[in-house]
Amino acid sequence: MPGQNFTYLFQVKDQVGSYFYFPTTGFLKAAGGYGGLQVDNRVIIPLPYKTPDGEVTILIGDWYTANHTDLQGSLDAGRSLGLPDGILINGRGPFGSYITLDPGKTYRLRISNVGISTSLNFRIAGHSLTVVESEGAHTKQLTLANLDVHVGQSYAVLVTLNQIPGEYYMVATSRFTSTVVSGIAVLHYSNSQSKVSGPLPSGPTTEIDYSVTQARAITWNLTANAARPNPQGSFHYGMINVTETAVIEGAVTMMNGKLRYAANSVSYVNPPTPLKLADYFNLGGVFSLNYPRFPTGGSSFLGTAVLPTTFRGFLELVFQNDEDIVQSWHIDGYVAFVVAIDGGRWSSASRAEYNLVDALPRSTIQVYPHAWTAVLLELDNAGMWNLRSQLWERQYLGEQLYFKVPNPDGSIRNEAPIPSNVLLCGVAVGQHP
């Protein structure tokens, strides 16, 4: 609460890798309320590549000249945010970030797209990027000239300073936008006396196939160890029978003359009582459990509906996109195996193209225009979990939902007990944990 602080304790287990933190309240994320978060491997567990000589956190994201309250006000008035005014690298505009590294050494760059609306392409003039990790999963090493990072996603790449000592452009440019905007930083060799000059390194702009091909090429490293001495490849997700399916289709709509977004025709409304509190205390009237599992094709409506699932079930979740933009979806509480990306409409026949061996597990999934993305996830984390668009305009105006993974017997083996310092609000005020 205002003027107070709150301590949250959590256990870091097997999600070794690169992340970032940010607020989900209102539009505070657009005000710069974010930062890098890295989970290091235990020293007894080797990395699947030579330990780098150092590492750098690179936060790239779109930027609007209006402040976050004005952005929120525009959406409240029913207006879209439109294209961003620029791109920031580590919170700074063009040439604001100056990164000095030593020649001949290899560095791990932890790159996150912390923006609110725009897919970005990242590259360094004259240098290759070797992808080694994404959101807690070691990848097979893939060397690229540039890397697409969609809203909310994180990667770790290796970069070797093997060029002539000097300064080189480090660039993040918008993807799939009518006007390309750029963020520019400088990579400076520590023994260089020269200054950066010349044109920016070229990169992709609106090519969808280029991005799809790159995304399909980044796969899971099945021979690498996880945080604990347990090979990641021992989890053969492709041999688990699917027990339930849901297809989520985001869409733009208008309600009462104002812009709204919906998923499966439901435009989500935040209730005064947090869903988890209502569920824990069995308080009625806060949400319903009748969220449609498939697109309805009907008119959108306001609602607070929750998708019910089965504890320890295996969910096939398909994101369908019939719009002209790249969508980005985030799944709280889980990582999901991204088994297929393709154009058109998903159908049961689409399962024939699923990658059931080394699909990349991740928590933030892009869906290309007029295309679909399918993921698989084991429902082993009891709770009430948010599934939302990472495009902040869309989630703020209703393109999100929650799915409930029940604790079948209330055992603390399946779910930690409610914290003693839990904040109670709405109709949960006065309840006793």
Side-chain angles (χ1 to χ4, degrees):
M1 299 298 291
Q4 301 179 18
N5 58 47
F6 186 84
T7 299
Y8 177 53
L9 304 177
F10 63 100
Q11 184 179 24
V12 179
K13 291 186 177 180
D14 56 355
Q15 293 174 286
V16 169
S18 309
Y19 307 90
F20 66 98
Y21 61 85
F22 62 95
T24 56
T25 302
F27 260 71
L28 295 178
K29 183 181 180 184
Y34 51 75
L37 180 66
Q38 69 184 59
V39 181
D40 292 324
N41 59 300
R42 293 170 59 192
V43 293
I44 64 171
I45 306 300
L47 291 169
Y49 49 87
K50 182 181 177 181
T51 301
D53 298 299
E55 58 186 7
V56 182
T57 294
I58 305 290
L59 304 179
I60 57 178
D62 45 44
W63 177 72
Y64 292 78
T65 54
N67 69 27
H68 70 286
T69 55
D70 291 335
L71 295 175
Q72 188 170 340
S74 293
L75 296 182
D76 290 337
R79 300 187 300 269
S80 175
L81 299 183
L83 295 176
D85 298 298
I87 305 297
L88 304 183
I89 297 181
N90 284 354
R92 297 180 180 273
F95 300 98
S97 293
Y98 197 80
I99 298 171
T100 300
L101 301 175
D102 295 329
K105 294 185 177 180
T106 297
Y107 293 86
R108 177 169 51 197
L109 273 54
R110 300 183 184 269
I111 307 166
S112 296
N113 185 336
V114 297
I116 63 173
S117 68
T118 314
S119 294
L120 300 175
N121 182 269
F122 179 83
R123 52 197 182 272
I124 303 174
H127 295 74
S128 298
L129 312 175
T130 299
V131 181
V132 293
E133 177 259 320
S134 175
E135 296 170 21
H138 293 305
T139 67
K140 295 176 184 175
Q141 294 187 28
L142 178 67
T143 300
L144 303 169
N146 56 74
L147 176 65
D148 278 353
V149 189
H150 301 279
V151 181
Q153 292 185 342
S154 297
Y155 286 97
V157 303
L158 300 180
V159 176
T160 300
L161 273 65
N162 54 8
Q163 300 300 303
I164 297 173
E167 291 188 343
Y168 295 84
Y169 291 114
M170 184 179 291
V171 181
T173 54
S174 61
R175 289 283 267 129
F176 323 115
T177 57
S178 56
T179 300
V180 176
V181 288
S182 302
I184 305 170
V186 176
L187 170 61
H188 173 77
Y189 278 56
S190 60
N191 63 341
S192 171
Q193 301 299 318
S194 63
K195 294 297 182 182
V196 68
S197 63
L200 298 179
S202 61
T205 54
T206 60
E207 304 90 340
I208 297 293
D209 289 345
Y210 182 97
S211 188
V212 172
T213 300
Q214 184 181 94
R216 287 172 173 168
I218 301 174
T219 54
W220 201 18
N221 185 343
L222 300 181
T223 64
N225 288 325
R228 295 166 292 177
N230 176 35
Q232 293 177 346
S234 65
F235 184 45
H236 299 296
Y237 69 92
M239 300 176 65
I240 302 174
N241 292 328
V242 170
T243 60
E244 49 192 300
T245 297
V247 179
I248 305 298
E249 182 174 359
V252 60
T253 185
M254 296 292 290
M255 294 184 183
N256 300 320
K258 291 186 176 183
L259 177 68
R260 292 288 300 185
Y261 294 90
N264 289 7
S265 300
V266 182
S267 186
Y268 184 81
V269 177
N270 274 312
T273 305
L275 300 188
K276 185 57 184 174
L277 291 181
D279 183 54
Y280 179 82
F281 293 116
N282 195 27
L283 304 173
V286 176
F287 65 89
S288 65
L289 286 170
N290 60 354
Y291 188 87
R293 284 186 168 269
F294 299 91
T296 66
S299 299
S300 299
F301 59 92
L302 300 174
T304 308
V306 172
L307 176 68
T309 63
T310 304
F311 183 63
R312 296 201 183 283
F314 201 64
L315 174 65
E316 175 187 44
L317 183 61
V318 180
F319 298 98
Q320 181 69 54
N321 179 10
D322 287 343
E323 298 182 72
D324 296 329
I325 66 165
V326 176
Q327 297 178 354
S328 183
W329 290 87
H330 177 79
I331 308 172
D332 270 353
Y334 284 88
V335 291
F337 298 95
V338 185
V339 293
I341 299 172
D342 206 352
R345 298 285 302 182
W346 179 89
S347 70
S348 58
S350 303
R351 293 171 177 142
E353 56 186 284
Y354 283 7
N355 175 359
L356 299 179
V357 179
D358 59 358
L360 188 64
R362 65 184 321 149
S363 59
T364 303
I365 299 106
Q366 77 271 24
V367 192
Y368 293 99
H370 303 283
W372 54 268
T373 299
V375 305
L376 300 176
L377 63 155
E378 184 176 12
L379 300 167
D380 58 357
N381 193 4
M384 190 79 76
W385 301 106
N386 189 220
L387 174 60
R388 65 177 177 270
S389 172
Q390 284 290 73
L391 310 185
W392 224 240
E393 170 179 316
R394 298 178 75 101
Q395 73 84 25
Y396 181 79
L397 293 179
E399 195 172 270
Q400 61 172 305
L401 62 134
Y402 282 78
F403 63 100
K404 177 183 177 180
V405 182
N407 184 349
D409 57 7
S411 170
I412 61 173
R413 292 174 301 176
N414 301 326
E415 184 177 21
I418 191 169
S420 59
N421 63 342
V422 65
L423 301 178
L424 301 176
C425 54
V427 296
V429 171
Q431 299 288 332
H432 299 286

